[in-house]
Amino acid sequence: MSRDDARLDAAPRVPWAAALGVELALLAALLPSLRVIQSGPWLIGALAMAALPLATGLATRWLRWRAPFVAIAEIVVWGLATTVVFFRDTAWLGFLPDPGVLRRAADDVAATFGQMTVETPPLPVTPEVAFFLVSATAMLGIVLDYVVITTRLPLLGAVAVVAVWAAPAVAVPGRSDVWSFVLLGVGILVLVWTEARSRPGADRRLWSAAGAGALAIGTVAVVTALVVTPLLPAPVARVSLGGSGGTGIDASLQLGDDLRRPNPSKVLEVRSTLGGAPYLRVASLSRLEGENWQPDRGDLGGGFAPVPVDPGIATTDVETDIDIDGLRSRYLPVTFPATSVEGLTGSWGVLSENRTVVAIDADSSDQSYAVSSTVPRPTLEQIRGAAAAGVDPAYTAVPADTPEIVSQLADQVTAGATTAYDRAAALQSWFRSSEFRYSLDAPVADGFDGSGVQAVADFLRVRAGYCVHFASAFTLMARELGMPTRIVVGYLPGTATGRVVDGNPVYAVTSDLLHAWPEVYFEGIGWIGFEPTNSLGTPPVFSGSGSASDAPTSAPTTAPVPTASAPAAPSASATQPAEELPDAPVGTPTSRGWSVTGIVLLAIVILLAVPGTIAALRRRRRIRRGGAAASWLLVQETAIDLWIPVRSSDTPRGLGARLTAAGAPPEAVAALVAAIEVAGYAPADEERADPLRDALAVRRGLLSAATPARRALATLAPRSLVVRPGTAFAG
């Protein structure tokens, strides 16, 4: 027995470093969750709960328990701790779970998923949500403990960590969190390093080699994330309101990251009897709570009612066909005011007050449907004569902490207006004047990338922002003047595709046309959309001829209504791609196409070369070291790379026979096996021959005998980086 073996037998090996690596990986995986879940003590509680089974694993391994019993002990500790923390009032003796505890746990999980379907991020942490987060984190810790420490497959555990880390980014895409990514990379690399360190007989020099390889991988990964990822196509938009896990639209007015995202993608195609492209609405927002406007909710069984307009107000019936392509949301893009929707699959409901269509058991993916709308067409005289009143007072509510600048400017801008419509039109003209500038960058630079009252006050001082700021400012200023208002989230009119179906041109709507605009309620007419966003969309204009305008409209009611003299097609500002507008949502210019492609291809080549490069560096280090152990390990790893079994039960002669059968030169194999046997059983001070030359001859013979495809795979993607000699996968 060697001195190393004697040392291993004298004391059990406790992988405390690997357990700390698992805890660090859990922290890295959980941090992005703060984007979709409110911060609080739940994060510390989750890490503490995960530490209990990990500590149990360390203790049972110190007692030399077998792997299955280690896992069972961890699960038992997790179950008891969870019961004590969350269900001790109903548990047996305060800590033993009974059927009632199991029912409560199931109800809490169901309540958590139900809350996810109705709340907008960040999700408030109720007791049910806290139980779900804390217990799920501890369960993930148990899984990582088994995969990383027991089965010694750290990269497989890293897959689970990356999946948890990426889930919030998929649900609510935003700007890249570099530090979160770096912590994730550190956590994964620590998992790999600590697992290698805990192997029996691990050599400290090999730890250094593993550390160098880990540093190389981490460097390439960080460079790829920072340089390449921002250039790739992004998800269509942010999380769907109450969505089923897909990407869609953030109806809480947190649209800045979506509008700044490069490379917009198509979300739908639309054609309408308007003759042009309509605005499409997704949700309306009437309540300002804290820093965010909240989407309107209510009973989904109201259905569509007739459009309530006074008898003297003319109306126009509009038919619109919409084909969804790349949008997943519980809220359906429709024209306004919709009176029916046909052709949908799945179960859908209608919020009758705002005519919003919401999924009950479905989503918008790949839906093709027809929307019927009845559009009020008041004359200029009629809308000037209508009062901005007649609805719930909640639509005129203003937060108590609204800065004075909002009301002061509202009074100043509308000082000469005598009717509600004239005041709304004055606000709209002021925002669209040269005093304001459309910008996606200025709000971020000045720290008011939001829609709350303070963000509005900052916007009114800086006078540069995007649709969220214009719509929020208009809405609050109009409410200060006593007018009922709300905000609508949807899409600007799309771009003509050149195709015509059933006599109507087809328009493509892309993700960068995501938009927000305000509506004002006029008694006897209904909700009328305004367009205060500077340089985007088409403002509403009404005919003064004494009769309703029958010209095509670019958006029924919720969007601008042109005069009778306006052209049939939407204006250039409404239909041109966003990148052609001044300071509009950024796209990727054509001139950058080749540079982007070159960077992506270069990154792919670098990533493909990383595994082989690391394996080559490790092989060179072992060749320089020489010795029987390094030579034998070199041959074992070559066999693993070529998919030759290397079992834990193999003797040197048994594996040598398999290598000879696979094409290795018999003389070199015999000499190498003899050297290994001498090194293992001869006295420590006996002089031995260096078997490195024989090992290299065996390696060359195995590679020469392999097929070209197998040889290329062993060079570019060596399995030995992940699969170690003697493990189940190596056998």
Side-chain angles (χ1 to χ4, degrees), residues 398-432:
V398 178
D401 59 345
T402 302
E404 291 185 3
I405 188 176
V406 178
S407 59
Q408 291 173 352
L409 286 176
D411 292 335
Q412 177 182 331
V413 171
T414 62
T418 58
T419 69
Y421 169 75
D422 288 338
R423 287 192 287 273
L427 288 175
Q428 176 180 255
S429 298
W430 182 60
F431 283 120
R432 296 183 67 87

Side-chain angles (χ1 to χ4, degrees), residues 430-576:
W430 182 60
F431 283 120
R432 296 183 67 87
S433 71
S434 59
E435 293 190 39
F436 285 84
R437 178 173 60 90
Y438 184 94
S439 172
L440 290 172
D441 299 323
V444 179
D446 293 325
F448 61 98
D449 194 5
S451 57
V453 292
Q454 189 56 53
V456 168
D458 292 339
F459 165 70
L460 292 175
R461 296 186 185 96
V462 178
R463 300 193 179 182
Y466 52 93
C467 60
V468 168
H469 300 97
F470 285 96
S472 299
F474 181 103
T475 299
L476 283 178
M477 292 175 73
R479 287 189 177 189
E480 291 281 11
L481 298 172
M483 292 187 284
T485 55
R486 66 187 182 189
I487 297 176
V488 177
V489 173
Y491 288 100
L492 284 165
T495 304
T497 64
R499 294 186 290 114
V500 176
V501 177
D502 296 332
N504 297 317
V506 178
Y507 293 84
V509 177
T510 51
S511 58
D512 58 337
L513 295 181
L514 195 61
H515 192 50
W517 63 91
E519 290 180 331
V520 180
Y521 186 85
F522 292 91
E523 196 169 18
I525 298 174
W527 290 98
I528 296 295
F530 287 80
E531 184 55 277
T533 303
N534 197 301
S535 80
L536 286 182
T538 307
V541 182
F542 300 90
S543 169
S545 63
S547 60
S549 168
D550 56 0
T553 173
S554 63
T557 302
T558 60
V561 181
T563 63
S565 60
S571 70
S573 63
T575 59
Q576 291 300 316

Side-chain angles (χ1 to χ4, degrees), residues 4 16 36 71 79 86 128 218 321 345 361 505 589 625 637:
D4 288 342
W16 59 268
V36 294
F86 294 100
E128 295 80 8
D321 294 290
T345 59
D361 184 17
R625 288 177 53 208
E637 290 178 345

Side-chain angles (χ1 to χ4, degrees), residues 453-722:
V453 292
Q454 189 56 53
V456 168
D458 292 339
F459 165 70
L460 292 175
R461 296 186 185 96
V462 178
R463 300 193 179 182
Y466 52 93
C467 60
V468 168
H469 300 97
F470 285 96
S472 299
F474 181 103
T475 299
L476 283 178
M477 292 175 73
R479 287 189 177 189
E480 291 281 11
L481 298 172
M483 292 187 284
T485 55
R486 66 187 182 189
I487 297 176
V488 177
V489 173
Y491 288 100
L492 284 165
T495 304
T497 64
R499 294 186 290 114
V500 176
V501 177
D502 296 332
N504 297 317
V506 178
Y507 293 84
V509 177
T510 51
S511 58
D512 58 337
L513 295 181
L514 195 61
H515 192 50
W517 63 91
E519 290 180 331
V520 180
Y521 186 85
F522 292 91
E523 196 169 18
I525 298 174
W527 290 98
I528 296 295
F530 287 80
E531 184 55 277
T533 303
N534 197 301
S535 80
L536 286 182
T538 307
V541 182
F542 300 90
S543 169
S545 63
S547 60
S549 168
D550 56 0
T553 173
S554 63
T557 302
T558 60
V561 181
T563 63
S565 60
S571 70
S573 63
T575 59
Q576 291 300 316
E579 61 266 21
E580 296 181 16
L581 294 168
D583 293 313
V586 182
T588 301
T590 305
S591 61
R592 292 178 57 198
W594 284 109
S595 61
V596 172
T597 302
I599 293 174
V600 172
L601 291 177
L602 178 60
I604 291 174
V605 171
I606 293 174
L607 290 176
L608 289 177
V610 166
T613 301
I614 294 174
L617 292 175
R618 186 172 63 180
R619 189 163 55 249
R620 177 172 296 182
R621 175 182 289 269
R622 288 177 183 160
I623 291 173
R624 287 202 303 267
R625 288 177 53 208
S631 300
W632 187 240
L633 187 57
L634 175 65
V635 170
Q636 286 179 312
E637 290 178 345
T638 302
I640 291 173
D641 294 339
L642 295 172
W643 291 79
I644 300 171
V646 181
R647 304 185 180 96
S648 59
S649 59
D650 282 336
T651 63
R653 295 194 180 195
L655 179 56
R658 195 175 304 119
L659 297 177
T660 300
E667 299 82 2
V669 171
L672 179 61
V673 168
I676 296 301
E677 291 176 341
V678 169
Y681 299 101
D685 56 353
E686 181 175 315
E687 185 176 348
R688 309 163 190 167
D690 189 350
L692 179 59
R693 183 171 55 184
D694 296 320
L696 293 175
V698 171
R699 172 178 168 79
R700 287 193 297 270
L702 292 175
L703 291 174
S704 299
T707 63
R710 181 62 57 82
R711 192 161 55 244
L713 184 63
T715 302
L716 296 176
R719 291 175 67 226
S720 58
L721 290 179
V722 179

